[in-house]
Amino acid sequence: TCSLLRSPKGFPKLKNDTFLRAARGEETEHTPVWCMRQAGRYLPEFRETRASQDFFATCRSPKLCCELTLQPLRRFPLDAAIIFSDILVVPQALGMEVVMVPGKGPTFTEPLKEVEDLLKLRQKVDVTAELGYVFQAITLTRHSLEGKVPLIGFSGAPWTLMSYMIEGGGSTTMAKAKSWLYRHPEASHRLLRLLADVIIDYLVGQVAAGAQALQLFESHAGHLGPELFQDFALPYIRDIAQAVKSKLKEEALPLVPMIIFAKDAHYALQDLAHAGYEVVGLDWTIRPQEARAQIGEDVTLQGNLDPCALYAPKEKIGELVKKMLEAFGTQRYIANLGHGLYPDMNPEHVGAFVEAVHAHSRHINKH
């Protein structure tokens, strides 16, 4: 029921705060679990809702975003919802055109080629004017959730967005975007700064609209080595956490937990642990014990089952989850996949994953 847009105030009382408690490092009876891309094409009802609509038109419809966000929660006892949107709405807010090409994915009609192209971008972005549809979707969804679970808002991180804006879409090497870092370091920093400023306002706006946690996706961290990450990704990741928190305080908004997910950035885990986020998300290529050793006890970990493990038979999924929980421990931990769900996954296997996390973590906590 995603009708009726009420005022952002007077949200329903939260009934299940397990995810928020784990994010803040408080004790939980079971380990909370949610999945990246839980609102997605692996659900037949998602494909049905999306069938007639252009992808970004769907992103701009608060009603449809709300419906798609709620779909997985009708099926599975997940501990959090994440608003249905896309990281590329930020480049759109800067004035770039992005279209979703079937079989190819998101494509920029005019990617950034030369440093001069930066002048075509909006230098001052009014996020309410450009991204207000996301804020409306968050407010509507927060009411429609009826306090069932917390709602997560998100953004792409500057380097990941920059790489899309220069590559014009996905890329296996990111050679065009990385060449900017080597050839045009000043212009790269100018672009990253512009993105960071928009992201800060965007994330604060999401909290004002009703988001109860925020995740920053540095999905393309794996294309950078330690040096480039230090120079072109980490400073902005740190800055975003700091600036969002100080703006939330200034505007008397709730200080929500923040999650940083830098895919394939093992080399930076210690830095990420001190970047100002309550939670560090992990991909599936790192051992839980190693991550904990590098990150320490003061930050909650999130992750990191190989998404492809969901192709295994259900019993096997249960065994893998049990092993993962034993390795991470059930406290200061949020179970998730190490990346998003894939479109051809069986929803029943997603259910088996969620239920296994709850059952095994309860069992471990009792004994």
Side-chain angles (χ1 to χ4, degrees), residues 122-142:
R122 276 190 193 106
Q123 301 303 306
K124 268 274 167 260
V125 175
D126 174 347
V127 292
T128 309
E130 300 301 329
L131 295 166
Y133 59 88
V134 180
F135 302 156
Q136 287 171 359
I138 287 173
T139 301
L140 181 56
T141 306
R142 178 81 190 271

Side-chain angles (χ1 to χ4, degrees), residues 98-120:
V98 192
V99 291
M100 195 57 84
V101 178
K104 188 184 171 203
T107 306
F108 285 74
T109 49
E110 291 181 46
L112 304 174
K113 289 197 171 72
E114 306 301 330
V115 169
E116 297 77 67
D117 294 342
L118 294 181
L119 299 173
K120 296 180 194 166

Side-chain angles (χ1 to χ4, degrees), residues 48-279:
E48 215 171 288
T49 307
R50 278 259 309 104
S52 56
Q53 279 270 22
D54 164 71
F55 178 82
F56 286 107
T58 305
C59 289
R60 285 189 287 273
S61 159
K63 227 170 140 169
L64 285 176
C65 289
C66 174
E67 167 58 25
L68 294 170
T69 302
L70 294 182
Q71 282 175 353
L73 291 151
R74 295 189 190 122
R75 278 191 186 241
F76 316 117
L78 293 153
D79 293 289
I82 183 164
I83 194 68
F84 175 81
S85 185
D86 193 87
I87 64 171
L88 298 181
V89 299
V90 170
Q92 287 176 332
L94 287 167
M96 294 188 80
E97 194 190 356
V98 192
V99 291
M100 195 57 84
V101 178
K104 188 184 171 203
T107 306
F108 285 74
T109 49
E110 291 181 46
L112 304 174
K113 289 197 171 72
E114 306 301 330
V115 169
E116 297 77 67
D117 294 342
L118 294 181
L119 299 173
K120 296 180 194 166
L121 300 175
R122 276 190 193 106
Q123 301 303 306
K124 268 274 167 260
V125 175
D126 174 347
V127 292
T128 309
E130 300 301 329
L131 295 166
Y133 59 88
V134 180
F135 302 156
Q136 287 171 359
I138 287 173
T139 301
L140 181 56
T141 306
R142 178 81 190 271
H143 281 297
S144 306
L145 273 168
E146 295 174 337
K148 197 173 172 179
V149 293
L151 179 61
I152 304 169
F154 70 89
S155 173
W159 155 249
T160 294
L161 296 179
M162 170 183 171
S163 63
Y164 272 114
M165 290 159 75
I166 294 171
E167 296 291 340
S171 156
T172 49
T173 60
M174 296 290 159
K176 287 182 192 149
K178 285 178 73 176
S179 83
W180 272 54
L181 304 181
Y182 286 109
R183 286 166 42 225
H184 314 301
E186 289 84 7
S188 296
H189 280 299
R190 258 203 333 270
L191 174 54
L192 292 162
R193 183 70 261 161
L194 177 63
L195 283 162
D197 289 342
V198 176
I199 291 162
I200 289 160
D201 289 344
Y202 180 43
L203 290 174
V204 171
Q206 290 185 45
V207 176
Q212 290 154 294
L214 297 168
Q215 178 155 314
L216 190 68
F217 283 86
E218 189 71 280
S219 311
H220 296 168
H223 291 278
L224 303 176
E227 276 79 24
L228 288 179
F229 188 86
Q230 278 286 345
D231 286 349
F232 295 101
L234 188 62
Y236 299 98
I237 288 171
R238 278 193 189 123
D239 190 49
I240 288 167
Q242 212 180 340
V244 166
K245 288 176 179 184
S246 70
K247 285 199 173 195
L248 291 175
K249 276 201 189 107
E250 266 165 47
E251 295 179 28
L253 289 164
L255 277 178
V256 302
M258 295 178 71
I259 307 164
I260 176 65
F261 175 62
K263 190 172 177 292
D264 296 319
H266 319 138
Y267 54 80
L269 286 181
Q270 276 174 318
D271 288 324
L272 291 169
H274 299 110
Y277 294 77
E278 285 69 26
V279 184

